[in-house]
Each structure stands twice: as structure tokens, then as C-alpha cells.
Amino acid sequence: MTGPTAAVLLIGDELLSGRTRDINLQQVAQYLEPLGIPVREARTVSDVQEEIVAAVNELRAKYTYVFTTGGIGPTHDDITADAIAAAFGVAISEHPDAIRDMAARYAAMNTEFTAPRRRMARVPHGASLIANPVSGAPGFQTGNVFTLAGVPQIARAMLDDIGHRLETGTVVHKVSVRGKGLREGDLAIRLGEIAKEFSAVGIGSYPWYGSIEDHGVALVARSTDAGALAEVRTRLEALARSLGAEPEVTT
């Protein structure tokens, strides 16, 4: 299957230290899925410019789109904008539209538009702005790289100004058959047989363990072929029932 693909680059020491739990990968992937753009790779790098530059250049050459999150705030360790400029070999400076809009916003809030806040208006030359309806400081698009804020609420809002810029692909349909009490060891052989028979459908097995009374397996199938997916759904439901579980189906 060919079509547009994406990678997500998560930037920040706070992610690697465990101080902050990331949800931006999930947000980006969920936003792109109905557009037919699968996320094929995700990385996390520290706040080191050389590491960011290397990752950006590798990923943008490999995938149709790259989404970075984090490192575009007002503090000294927010270096993503500089790293993106370095990756593309361009200069960076305050974007006049960003300065205008941010100045008006801070004036309306009766808040001083300080030098640290002005840092958030610095954009690599040639980049286009990505609107930020939450706090006003924009993200930006440089080539096939979209640079978003790290704060999840802001990152999600920025995605709404990106969809119209993307080449969409073939939508992947999915179905989940959840069976309480199922165990992977009991269904592995027959599940493998189904996967072999339906090569156009990707099938995954995901156990959960809540307690002795609450455990089981979710069987998730994905395909661009709706007909084949419907057949697999029937087979997965039958497999669950044959092992004593009443399947719970979601799409």
C-alpha cells in the first residue's frame, strides 16, 4: 500500500526524564488516521540542537510529513525553532504577522509583551504560520515539517490549521473484537491462520489485565479493503465465541 506517511518527533528533556507524560503522539496519530495518513515512526529527543537537527533531517527525507511537538515556548531551553532553521539551512527571525497578532493579544490582556514572549514569534525564514487559537503564539510549517507546541491542548488546536495542507491517502478501516476472559495462548494458532488467509488485513492481539475477574484480549483488524475486513470480523467473533467469550465489537 502506497500513499502519504508521517512521523512524529517529540522534543523535550521532560519527556525523557519521565516528569511529563506525552499524549501528543496519540493526538497526532488520531487526527491523521481518518485522513489516510498513517504514522510510521515516532521518536523522542532531548533539548539538544544537534540531536533535533539530525532527527528532523532523517525523518523528513523518509516520510511525507513530520510533526514535531515541544520546544517553541519563551524559555532558554525552547530551541526547536532554531533547530528547524538549522535543519533547513535558513536564518530565523521574528515573523511580522506573528509579532502583530501577539502584540495585539497581549495588549488586550493588559500584559507586557516582553522579550521572552517575543521569542515565540521567531520563525525560520520561508516557513508559514500555524494558527494557535489557545494562547496566540503560532506554530509553523517548514517544507514538510510541521512544528507544534508541546502543551497538548495547544498542539491539538494547531492541528486544525494543518488538515487542509495535507495530501490525503486511502482511509484504513478498523474493527476491534474484545473478548473478556480470552487468553492469547489459547487463540494464537487460529488467529495466525486467519491472518495468513487474509493477507490484506492487519490483525493485532492486545491483552489487558485489570484483575483476576477482569482480563481478556482485544483483537484489532485494520484494512483498506472493507469487504475483507467484514469477513475477518466475522471470523474473529466466531473465534472468541468458540473460546467461551461473548465478543464486544467496536469500529
Side-chain angles (χ1 to χ4, degrees):
M1 182 178 62
T2 59
T5 56
V8 178
L9 181 63
L10 309 167
I11 300 168
D13 292 342
E14 70 277 9
L15 299 174
L16 292 167
S17 70
R19 290 192 302 273
T20 299
R21 184 177 69 173
D22 170 70
I23 65 169
N24 284 324
L25 171 58
Q26 180 184 39
Q27 292 194 135
V28 172
Q30 290 179 341
Y31 182 83
L32 295 177
E33 185 179 46
L35 300 178
I37 307 173
V39 173
R40 295 298 190 201
E41 185 174 349
R43 298 187 191 181
T44 305
V45 296
S46 63
D47 294 310
V48 176
Q49 180 162 317
E50 293 78 9
E51 295 181 10
I52 300 170
V53 170
V56 166
N57 281 335
E58 184 177 346
L59 294 173
R60 71 187 179 98
K62 189 176 180 181
Y63 300 101
T64 313
Y65 304 113
V66 178
F67 294 81
T68 78
T69 69
I72 58 172
T75 61
H76 71 282
D77 59 345
D78 288 311
I79 61 171
T80 298
D82 296 276
I84 298 295
F88 280 84
V90 299
I92 185 171
S93 60
E94 293 180 348
H95 193 291
D97 293 343
I99 286 290
R100 180 198 65 220
D101 294 344
M102 292 177 66
R105 186 182 185 95
Y106 281 108
M109 296 188 298
N110 196 28
T111 301
E112 184 181 359
F113 190 25
T114 61
R117 292 182 176 122
R118 291 181 70 102
R119 287 191 79 243
M120 296 187 288
R122 297 169 67 249
V123 173
H125 291 183
S128 58
L129 300 183
I130 298 172
N132 172 6
V134 177
S135 65
F140 51 87
Q141 176 188 353
T142 316
N144 64 336
V145 179
F146 298 89
T147 299
L148 312 179
V151 178
Q153 180 187 7
I154 299 175
R156 179 59 189 84
M158 286 180 171
L159 287 171
D160 289 332
D161 191 33
I162 291 175
H164 65 279
R165 313 183 193 202
L166 305 176
E167 171 195 353
T168 57
T170 304
V171 175
V172 177
H173 305 282
K174 67 179 179 180
V175 63
S176 175
V177 178
R178 192 172 186 267
K180 188 174 181 179
L182 291 179
R183 296 180 296 183
E184 285 191 301
D186 295 331
L187 55 81
I189 293 176
R190 291 168 62 187
L191 186 64
E193 292 171 348
I194 296 172
K196 185 176 180 180
E197 182 179 349
F198 294 90
S199 59
V201 180
I203 303 175
S205 173
Y206 306 98
W208 82 86
Y209 303 96
S211 66
I212 294 177
E213 295 78 21
D214 179 21
H215 66 90
V217 178
L219 303 173
V220 180
R222 298 178 175 86
S223 181
T224 58
D225 185 334
L229 187 64
E231 291 186 58
V232 168
R233 168 180 172 171
T234 299
R235 296 284 288 275
L236 295 180
E237 290 182 68
L239 174 58
R241 290 192 177 98
S242 73
L243 295 171
E246 183 58 32
E248 303 171 18
V249 180
T250 58
T251 56

Coordinates of all heavy atoms in Angstrom, one line a residue, residues 55-117:
A55 N 17.6 14.4 13.7 CA 16.3 13.6 13.7 C 15.4 14.2 12.6 O 14.7 13.5 11.8 CB 15.6 13.6 15.0
V56 N 15.3 15.5 12.6 CA 14.4 16.2 11.6 C 14.8 15.9 10.2 O 14.0 15.5 9.3 CB 14.4 17.7 11.9 CG1 13.7 18.4 10.7 CG2 13.6 18.1 13.1
N57 N 16.1 16.0 9.9 CA 16.6 15.7 8.6 C 16.4 14.3 8.1 O 16.1 14.0 7.0 CB 18.1 16.2 8.4 CG 18.2 17.7 8.3 OD1 17.3 18.4 7.8 ND2 19.4 18.2 8.7
E58 N 16.6 13.4 9.0 CA 16.4 12.0 8.7 C 14.9 11.7 8.4 O 14.6 11.0 7.5 CB 16.9 11.1 9.8 CG 16.8 9.6 9.5 CD 17.4 8.7 10.5 OE1 18.1 9.2 11.4 OE2 17.2 7.5 10.5
L59 N 14.1 12.2 9.3 CA 12.7 11.8 9.2 C 12.0 12.5 8.0 O 11.2 11.9 7.3 CB 11.9 12.2 10.5 CG 12.3 11.4 11.7 CD1 11.7 12.0 13.0 CD2 11.9 9.9 11.6
R60 N 12.4 13.8 7.7 CA 11.7 14.5 6.6 C 12.1 13.9 5.3 O 11.4 14.1 4.3 CB 12.0 16.0 6.7 CG 13.4 16.4 6.4 CD 13.5 17.9 6.7 NE 14.9 18.5 6.4 CZ 15.2 19.1 5.3 NH1 14.3 19.3 4.3 NH2 16.4 19.6 5.2
A61 N 13.3 13.2 5.2 CA 13.7 12.6 4.0 C 13.0 11.2 3.8 O 12.8 10.7 2.7 CB 15.2 12.4 4.0
K62 N 12.5 10.7 4.9 CA 12.0 9.3 4.9 C 10.4 9.3 4.8 O 9.9 8.3 4.2 CB 12.4 8.6 6.2 CG 12.1 7.1 6.2 CD 12.7 6.5 7.5 CE 12.4 5.0 7.6 NZ 13.0 4.5 8.9
Y63 N 9.8 10.3 5.3 CA 8.3 10.3 5.3 C 7.7 11.5 4.6 O 8.4 12.6 4.5 CB 7.8 10.3 6.8 CG 8.3 9.0 7.5 CD1 9.4 9.1 8.4 CD2 7.7 7.8 7.3 CE1 9.9 8.0 9.0 CE2 8.2 6.6 7.9 CZ 9.3 6.7 8.8 OH 9.7 5.6 9.4
T64 N 6.5 11.4 4.2 CA 5.8 12.6 3.6 C 5.7 13.8 4.5 O 5.9 14.9 4.0 CB 4.4 12.1 3.1 OG1 4.4 10.9 2.5 CG2 3.8 13.2 2.2
Y65 N 5.4 13.5 5.7 CA 5.2 14.6 6.7 C 5.9 14.3 8.0 O 5.9 13.1 8.4 CB 3.7 14.9 7.0 CG 2.9 15.2 5.7 CD1 1.9 14.3 5.3 CD2 3.1 16.4 5.0 CE1 1.2 14.6 4.1 CE2 2.4 16.7 3.8 CZ 1.4 15.8 3.4 OH 0.7 16.0 2.3
V66 N 6.3 15.3 8.7 CA 6.9 15.2 10.0 C 6.2 16.2 10.9 O 6.1 17.4 10.6 CB 8.4 15.4 10.0 CG1 9.0 15.3 11.5 CG2 9.1 14.5 9.1
F67 N 5.8 15.7 12.1 CA 5.2 16.6 13.1 C 6.1 16.7 14.3 O 6.4 15.6 14.9 CB 3.8 16.1 13.5 CG 2.8 16.2 12.4 CD1 2.8 15.2 11.4 CD2 1.9 17.2 12.3 CE1 1.9 15.2 10.3 CE2 1.0 17.3 11.2 CZ 1.0 16.3 10.2
T68 N 6.6 17.8 14.7 CA 7.4 18.0 15.9 C 6.5 18.6 17.0 O 5.6 19.5 16.7 CB 8.6 18.8 15.7 OG1 8.3 20.2 15.7 CG2 9.4 18.4 14.4
T69 N 6.7 18.2 18.2 CA 6.0 18.9 19.3 C 7.0 19.2 20.4 O 7.9 18.5 20.7 CB 4.9 17.9 19.9 OG1 5.5 16.8 20.6 CG2 4.0 17.4 18.9
G70 N 6.8 20.4 21.0 CA 7.6 20.9 22.1 C 8.8 21.8 21.7 O 9.2 21.8 20.6
G71 N 9.2 22.6 22.6 CA 10.3 23.5 22.5 C 10.2 24.8 21.7 O 11.1 25.3 21.2
I72 N 8.9 25.3 21.7 CA 8.7 26.6 21.0 C 8.1 27.6 22.0 O 7.5 28.6 21.5 CB 7.9 26.5 19.7 CG1 6.5 25.9 20.0 CG2 8.6 25.6 18.7 CD1 5.6 25.9 18.8
G73 N 8.4 27.5 23.2 CA 8.0 28.4 24.2 C 8.9 29.6 24.4 O 9.8 29.8 23.6
P74 N 8.8 30.3 25.6 CA 9.6 31.5 25.8 C 10.9 31.4 26.5 O 11.6 32.3 26.8 CB 8.6 32.4 26.6 CG 7.9 31.4 27.4 CD 7.7 30.2 26.5
T75 N 11.2 30.2 27.0 CA 12.4 30.0 27.9 C 13.6 29.6 27.1 O 13.6 29.3 26.0 CB 12.1 28.9 29.0 OG1 11.8 27.7 28.3 CG2 10.8 29.3 29.8
H76 N 14.7 29.6 27.9 CA 16.1 29.4 27.3 C 16.2 28.0 26.6 O 17.0 27.9 25.7 CB 17.1 29.6 28.3 CG 17.2 28.5 29.3 ND1 16.2 28.4 30.4 CD2 18.0 27.4 29.4 CE1 16.5 27.3 31.1 NE2 17.5 26.7 30.5
D77 N 15.5 27.0 27.1 CA 15.6 25.7 26.6 C 14.7 25.4 25.5 O 14.6 24.2 25.0 CB 15.5 24.6 27.7 CG 14.2 24.7 28.4 OD1 13.5 25.7 28.3 OD2 13.8 23.7 29.2
D78 N 13.9 26.4 25.0 CA 13.0 26.2 23.9 C 13.8 26.5 22.6 O 13.8 27.7 22.2 CB 11.8 27.1 24.0 CG 10.8 26.7 25.1 OD1 10.5 25.5 25.1 OD2 10.4 27.5 26.0
I79 N 14.4 25.5 22.1 CA 15.3 25.7 21.0 C 14.8 25.0 19.7 O 15.6 25.0 18.7 CB 16.7 25.1 21.3 CG1 16.6 23.6 21.6 CG2 17.3 25.9 22.5 CD1 18.0 22.9 21.7
T80 N 13.6 24.6 19.6 CA 13.1 23.9 18.4 C 13.1 24.7 17.2 O 13.5 24.3 16.1 CB 11.8 23.3 18.7 OG1 11.8 22.3 19.8 CG2 11.2 22.6 17.4
A81 N 12.7 26.0 17.3 CA 12.7 26.8 16.1 C 14.0 27.0 15.5 O 14.2 27.0 14.3 CB 12.1 28.2 16.5
D82 N 15.0 27.2 16.4 CA 16.4 27.4 15.9 C 16.9 26.1 15.3 O 17.6 26.1 14.2 CB 17.3 27.7 17.1 CG 17.0 29.1 17.6 OD1 17.5 30.1 17.1 OD2 16.3 29.1 18.6
A83 N 16.5 24.9 15.8 CA 16.9 23.6 15.3 C 16.3 23.4 13.9 O 16.9 22.9 13.0 CB 16.6 22.5 16.2
I84 N 15.0 23.8 13.8 CA 14.4 23.6 12.5 C 15.0 24.5 11.4 O 15.3 24.0 10.3 CB 12.9 23.9 12.6 CG1 12.2 23.0 13.5 CG2 12.2 23.9 11.2 CD1 12.1 21.5 13.1
A85 N 15.4 25.7 11.8 CA 16.1 26.6 10.9 C 17.4 26.0 10.4 O 17.8 26.0 9.3 CB 16.3 28.0 11.5
A86 N 18.1 25.5 11.4 CA 19.4 24.8 11.1 C 19.2 23.6 10.2 O 20.1 23.4 9.3 CB 20.1 24.5 12.4
A87 N 18.2 22.8 10.5 CA 18.0 21.6 9.6 C 17.7 22.0 8.2 O 18.2 21.3 7.3 CB 16.8 20.8 10.2
F88 N 17.0 23.1 8.0 CA 16.7 23.5 6.6 C 17.8 24.5 6.0 O 17.7 24.9 4.9 CB 15.4 24.2 6.5 CG 14.2 23.2 6.5 CD1 13.7 22.6 7.7 CD2 13.7 22.7 5.3 CE1 12.7 21.7 7.7 CE2 12.6 21.8 5.3 CZ 12.2 21.3 6.4
G89 N 18.8 24.8 6.8 CA 19.8 25.7 6.4 C 19.4 27.1 6.1 O 19.8 27.8 5.1
V90 N 18.4 27.7 6.9 CA 17.9 29.0 6.7 C 18.1 29.8 8.0 O 18.3 29.3 9.0 CB 16.4 29.0 6.3 CG1 16.2 28.3 5.0 CG2 15.6 28.4 7.4
A91 N 18.0 31.1 7.8 CA 18.0 32.0 9.0 C 16.7 32.0 9.7 O 15.7 31.4 9.3 CB 18.4 33.4 8.5
I92 N 16.7 32.6 10.9 CA 15.5 32.7 11.7 C 15.3 34.1 12.3 O 16.4 34.8 12.6 CB 15.5 31.7 12.8 CG1 14.2 31.7 13.6 CG2 16.7 31.9 13.8 CD1 14.0 30.5 14.6
S93 N 14.1 34.7 12.3 CA 13.9 36.0 12.9 C 12.4 36.1 13.2 O 11.6 35.2 12.9 CB 14.3 37.1 11.9 OG 13.6 37.0 10.7
E94 N 12.1 37.2 13.8 CA 10.7 37.5 14.2 C 9.8 37.6 12.9 O 10.2 38.3 12.0 CB 10.5 38.7 15.0 CG 11.2 38.7 16.4 CD 11.1 39.9 17.2 OE1 10.7 41.0 16.6 OE2 11.4 39.9 18.4
H95 N 8.7 36.9 12.9 CA 7.8 36.9 11.8 C 6.8 38.1 12.0 O 6.2 38.2 13.1 CB 7.0 35.6 11.7 CG 6.2 35.5 10.4 ND1 5.1 36.2 10.1 CD2 6.4 34.6 9.4 CE1 4.7 35.9 8.9 NE2 5.4 34.9 8.5
P96 N 6.7 39.0 11.0 CA 5.9 40.3 11.3 C 4.5 40.0 11.6 O 3.9 40.7 12.4 CB 6.1 41.0 9.9 CG 6.5 40.0 8.9 CD 7.4 39.0 9.7
D97 N 3.9 39.0 11.0 CA 2.5 38.7 11.3 C 2.3 38.1 12.7 O 1.3 38.4 13.4 CB 1.9 37.7 10.3 CG 1.8 38.2 8.9 OD1 1.9 39.5 8.7 OD2 1.7 37.4 7.9
A98 N 3.3 37.3 13.1 CA 3.2 36.8 14.4 C 3.4 37.9 15.5 O 2.7 37.9 16.5 CB 4.3 35.7 14.6
I99 N 4.3 38.8 15.2 CA 4.6 39.9 16.1 C 3.3 40.8 16.2 O 2.9 41.1 17.3 CB 5.7 40.8 15.7 CG1 7.1 40.1 16.0 CG2 5.7 42.1 16.3 CD1 7.4 40.0 17.4
R100 N 2.7 41.1 15.1 CA 1.5 41.9 15.1 C 0.4 41.2 15.9 O -0.3 41.9 16.8 CB 1.0 42.1 13.7 CG -0.2 43.0 13.5 CD -0.9 42.7 12.1 NE -1.3 41.4 12.0 CZ -1.2 40.7 10.8 NH1 -0.6 41.2 9.8 NH2 -1.7 39.4 10.8
D101 N 0.1 40.0 15.6 CA -1.0 39.3 16.3 C -0.8 39.1 17.8 O -1.7 39.3 18.6 CB -1.3 37.9 15.6 CG -1.8 38.1 14.2 OD1 -2.2 39.2 13.8 OD2 -1.7 37.1 13.5
M102 N 0.5 38.7 18.1 CA 0.8 38.5 19.5 C 0.8 39.8 20.3 O 0.3 39.9 21.5 CB 2.1 37.8 19.7 CG 2.1 36.4 19.2 SD 3.8 35.6 19.2 CE 4.0 35.5 21.0
A103 N 1.3 40.9 19.7 CA 1.3 42.2 20.4 C -0.1 42.6 20.7 O -0.4 43.1 21.8 CB 2.0 43.2 19.5
A104 N -1.0 42.4 19.7 CA -2.4 42.8 19.9 C -3.1 42.0 21.0 O -3.8 42.5 21.9 CB -3.2 42.6 18.6
R105 N -2.7 40.7 21.1 CA -3.3 39.8 22.1 C -2.8 40.2 23.5 O -3.7 40.3 24.4 CB -2.9 38.4 21.8 CG -3.6 37.3 22.7 CD -3.1 35.9 22.3 NE -3.8 34.9 23.0 CZ -4.8 34.2 22.6 NH1 -5.3 34.5 21.4 NH2 -5.4 33.3 23.4
Y106 N -1.5 40.4 23.6 CA -1.0 40.8 25.0 C -1.6 42.2 25.4 O -1.8 42.4 26.6 CB 0.5 40.8 25.0 CG 1.0 39.4 25.1 CD1 1.7 38.7 24.0 CD2 0.9 38.7 26.3 CE1 2.2 37.4 24.1 CE2 1.4 37.4 26.4 CZ 2.0 36.8 25.3 OH 2.5 35.5 25.5
A107 N -1.7 43.1 24.4 CA -2.3 44.4 24.8 C -3.7 44.2 25.3 O -4.1 44.9 26.2 CB -2.3 45.3 23.5
A108 N -4.5 43.3 24.6 CA -5.9 43.1 25.0 C -5.9 42.5 26.4 O -6.9 42.7 27.2 CB -6.6 42.2 24.0
M109 N -4.9 41.8 26.8 CA -4.8 41.1 28.1 C -4.2 42.1 29.2 O -4.0 41.7 30.3 CB -4.1 39.8 28.1 CG -4.7 38.7 27.2 SD -3.9 37.1 27.4 CE -2.3 37.5 26.7
N110 N -3.8 43.3 28.7 CA -3.1 44.2 29.6 C -1.8 43.6 30.2 O -1.5 43.7 31.4 CB -4.0 44.7 30.7 CG -3.5 46.0 31.4 OD1 -2.7 46.8 30.8 ND2 -3.8 46.2 32.6
T111 N -1.1 42.9 29.3 CA 0.1 42.1 29.7 C 1.3 42.6 28.9 O 1.1 42.8 27.7 CB -0.1 40.6 29.5 OG1 -1.2 40.2 30.3 CG2 1.1 39.9 30.0
E112 N 2.4 42.8 29.5 CA 3.6 43.3 28.8 C 4.1 42.3 27.8 O 4.2 41.1 28.1 CB 4.7 43.6 29.7 CG 5.9 44.3 29.1 CD 7.0 44.6 30.1 OE1 6.8 44.3 31.3 OE2 8.1 45.1 29.6
F113 N 4.4 42.7 26.6 CA 4.9 41.8 25.5 C 6.4 41.8 25.6 O 7.1 42.6 24.9 CB 4.4 42.4 24.1 CG 4.7 41.4 23.0 CD1 4.8 40.1 23.2 CD2 4.8 41.9 21.7 CE1 5.0 39.2 22.1 CE2 5.0 41.1 20.6 CZ 5.1 39.7 20.8
T114 N 6.9 41.0 26.5 CA 8.3 41.0 26.9 C 9.2 40.3 25.9 O 8.7 39.6 25.0 CB 8.5 40.3 28.2 OG1 8.1 39.0 28.1 CG2 7.7 41.0 29.3
A115 N 10.5 40.5 26.0 CA 11.5 39.9 25.1 C 11.3 38.3 25.1 O 11.3 37.7 24.0 CB 12.9 40.3 25.5
P116 N 11.2 37.7 26.3 CA 10.9 36.2 26.2 C 9.7 35.8 25.4 O 9.7 34.8 24.7 CB 10.8 35.8 27.7 CG 11.6 36.9 28.4 CD 11.4 38.1 27.7
R117 N 8.6 36.6 25.6 CA 7.4 36.3 24.8 C 7.6 36.6 23.3 O 7.1 35.8 22.5 CB 6.2 37.2 25.3 CG 5.8 36.8 26.8 CD 4.7 37.5 27.3 NE 4.2 37.1 28.6 CZ 4.2 37.8 29.7 NH1 4.5 39.1 29.7 NH2 3.8 37.2 30.8

